[in-house]
Amino acid sequence: MLTILFWNLAKGNLATEVSALVFEHHVDILLLAESAVPPGHLLQLLNPPAATRYNFVPSRDSKIRPSKIQIFFGFGPQFISSRTDTGRATIREVRLPGRTRFLLCGVHFQSRPVWGEKDQALESTELNRTIREEERKAGHSRTIVVGDFNMNPFDLGVTSASGFNAVMTRQIALQRKRTLADRDHPFFFNSMWGLFGDGSSRPGGTFFLPSPQYASIYWHMLDQVLIRPDLIPEFEPSSLRILSEYSGGRLTAANGRPSVSDHLPILFKMNV
Amino acid sequence: MSNQAPKSQNLPPPSPSRPENLWPKLAVPPKMRTPAVILKEQAGLLGQMTHNIVRAEVKTFKSETGDMLVYAFALVAPALDNYTVYLFQVYHKPTELYPLKIYSDVIVSAGETRRSWSAPNEQEFKRILKIIFAHPKTSTAIRSLMAQSQGAPTSGEPPSGGPVPIQD
């Protein structure tokens, strides 16, 4: 069982909060977006004396285009390889001995003030072309995409067949693909749909933004986990959580809204 | 490994179904540790001492002439785009662990471009490794890589001030 945590730190100095979450939840793979914490500093906290476990694993292409996603890996760096990196998305293959290998794609999409919904959707199409190409090279489609999509699960880039083609139920995703205009489009299962809603006991999303316009949903689910059908049996739905607290305190204000970063972290487990 | 046959050979008697075994006993001494194993152990220990901020990696390849095994001992700083310093290389014949030769372009004195050591056995090999690891150029390199990793800029853009409605 692998425990994976993603968090957009909004450039805050959150090394203490991150390391506490990692230890508290026994995280195996940590993905960070908008981190202003020097990796060396975080490694110092994550690897106390006599318990060195985590490795910072930069992208192979990071010299060309600094990746917006940082990955800290709880195993030897030889077990995760860099496949491609667009700056906004990094694709790795995780090959742990005796376990199912899979592709892990960390994303941090362009935000809505910078790119409109159509731009995001077009970029989703491009990125998914890259993901499918990496799946073809890897010879399997056991892929997890996790990160800050800067889109909601119902936005065009996430739902469109040529984009992520991410659907809200496992039952539909397990049909594997959708054929449109004589082209096959493989599904992702978007596990986040089930976490929308009233936050009397949990946050209503991962990001809070009231709108001055007529329509406002207040809570947004910008941070998401998408899983290909081949990995759905290995996904533990009950493990998927939006975290609002850590061992040292709360990540939300008294009104339940994110306070430490403008995003809340997401945590899930995979039986891989 | 000796090419001489041992004085006593407890070989099984020849039988019609099994060919006669002409080989001497070839048991590998249980405590034999290859130079590669020693190097990898030391590489692991460096990671523990630096919280994996600076790791050591041992890369194995053949010499250009193809007659020697080469182990390159490298310091790697993952937070600095995997910046790598090749500290030294160990050469030995594939058929003989010792004597081995060690070359370094880093642990050199003024005016030198390369330094070499020769180790006839494991004990001497370890003694030379201690010298290399304790050399001021090694510790300076590690300290420098650690300091930069702990303060290096991280993702593409510098931190910006103030919250924005929807983030980057």
Side-chain angles (χ1 to χ4, degrees):
Chain A
M1 188 77 72
L2 284 183
T3 303
I4 301 173
L5 176 76
F6 170 81
W7 195 9
N8 181 326
L9 303 184
K11 296 170 183 168
N13 183 13
L14 302 179
T16 305
E17 290 82 353
V18 170
S19 58
L21 285 170
V22 166
F23 293 132
E24 188 178 344
H25 296 284
H26 307 286
V27 170
D28 297 299
I29 305 176
L30 167 69
L31 299 98
L32 299 175
E34 289 198 67
S35 174
V37 181
H41 177 50
L42 193 51
L43 281 172
Q44 206 163 16
L45 297 178
L46 293 176
N47 290 324
T52 307
R53 180 182 175 197
Y54 295 93
N55 286 285
F56 176 61
V57 283
S59 167
R60 184 183 53 200
D61 299 330
S62 63
K63 279 180 188 167
I64 300 165
R65 187 190 295 268
S67 182
K68 297 211 171 264
I69 300 289
Q70 291 184 357
I71 299 181
F72 294 83
F73 192 56
F75 305 92
Q78 68 272 30
F79 300 122
I80 183 168
S81 57
S82 188
R83 307 295 296 218
T84 192
D85 197 302
T86 66
R88 290 278 179 178
T90 184
I91 302 178
R92 317 292 180 93
E93 186 168 41
V94 178
R95 306 175 73 131
L96 293 167
R99 300 204 199 177
T100 306
R101 62 192 170 108
F102 63 96
L103 294 174
L104 178 66
C105 177
V107 299
H108 182 201
F109 248 69
Q110 288 83 352
S111 63
R112 191 61 65 83
V114 182
W115 282 19
E117 185 175 12
K118 287 177 186 170
D119 294 303
Q120 290 180 327
L122 290 167
E123 175 62 18
S124 295
T125 300
E126 292 299 322
L127 176 56
N128 276 276
R129 197 171 284 145
T130 303
I131 291 172
R132 289 168 205 170
E133 175 61 14
E134 289 303 329
E135 289 175 335
R136 189 192 62 74
K137 286 185 199 166
H140 64 80
S141 55
R142 293 184 294 273
T143 306
I144 302 167
V145 185
V146 58
D148 173 6
F149 288 69
N150 267 314
M151 294 180 278
N152 272 301
F154 46 79
D155 281 335
L156 186 61
V158 182
T159 57
S160 136
S162 60
F164 285 98
N165 199 23
V167 295
M168 68 169 76
T169 70
R170 281 175 283 170
Q171 187 186 31
I172 295 171
L174 284 169
Q175 294 169 14
R176 306 193 64 80
K177 66 183 180 185
R178 179 179 171 214
T179 304
L180 190 73
D182 289 332
R183 292 189 196 93
D184 287 341
H185 300 276
F187 282 128
F188 275 109
F189 167 51
N190 190 342
S191 56
M192 302 307 289
W193 280 97
L195 294 187
F196 262 123
D198 171 21
S200 58
S201 60
R202 66 172 198 227
T206 64
F207 185 86
F208 187 86
L209 180 70
S211 167
Q213 297 163 342
Y214 271 99
S216 178
I217 60 170
Y218 294 91
W219 278 102
H220 300 261
M221 199 70 79
L222 304 186
D223 307 277
Q224 299 170 48
V225 182
L226 311 185
I227 297 162
R228 279 277 194 239
D230 282 346
L231 280 179
I232 287 175
E234 318 306 335
F235 173 60
E236 295 284 330
S238 62
S239 71
L240 178 64
R241 292 167 59 193
I242 299 168
L243 301 176
S244 58
E245 58 188 10
Y246 71 109
S247 55
R250 296 201 59 80
L251 304 174
T252 53
N255 57 12
R257 300 173 193 174
S259 59
V260 174
S261 161
D262 54 0
H263 289 250
L264 292 173
I266 52 176
L267 180 88
F268 63 102
K269 294 178 191 287
M270 297 292 300
N271 190 20
V272 285
Chain B
M1 191 186 305
S2 170
N3 290 326
Q4 292 178 332
K7 287 176 184 172
S8 64
Q9 296 182 16
N10 296 322
L11 301 176
S15 69
S17 58
R18 293 178 60 187
E20 182 184 2
N21 189 346
L22 304 177
W23 290 96
K25 283 189 178 175
L26 292 173
V28 176
K31 289 187 180 175
M32 178 184 275
R33 293 188 319 135
T34 65
V37 167
I38 294 168
L39 290 172
K40 285 174 185 170
E41 283 174 354
Q42 296 306 311
L45 289 168
L46 178 69
Q48 289 176 29
M49 292 169 73
T50 66
H51 312 275
N52 278 349
I53 297 170
V54 177
R55 294 196 304 254
E57 291 181 1
V58 179
K59 298 180 181 178
T60 308
F61 50 94
K62 271 188 192 172
S63 62
E64 285 181 4
T65 51
D67 61 340
M68 303 287 266
L69 282 176
V70 185
Y71 302 100
F73 192 93
L75 305 177
V76 181
L80 303 176
D81 290 331
N82 275 333
Y83 183 82
T84 301
V85 179
Y86 287 94
L87 201 56
F88 61 88
Q89 297 89 41
V90 173
Y91 286 69
H92 69 72
K93 289 182 184 171
T95 52
E96 290 178 353
L97 302 180
Y98 298 96
L100 56 75
K101 294 282 282 185
I102 304 170
Y103 298 95
S104 176
D105 303 329
V106 178
I107 311 300
V108 291
S109 304
E112 280 183 321
T113 54
R114 171 168 268 213
R115 195 161 183 182
S116 66
W117 297 263
S118 197
N121 52 44
E122 181 179 326
Q123 192 180 4
E124 183 63 9
F125 178 45
K126 287 181 179 173
R127 193 188 69 80
I128 295 166
L129 288 181
K130 270 190 179 180
I131 291 171
I132 292 173
F133 293 155
H135 195 279
K137 291 208 171 178
T138 306
S139 46
T140 300
I142 293 169
R143 275 201 297 267
S144 173
L145 293 173
M146 283 191 72
Q148 292 173 89
S149 299
Q150 288 169 300
T154 52
S155 54
E157 297 159 12
S160 62
V164 288
I166 287 189
Q167 76 312 321
D168 180 21

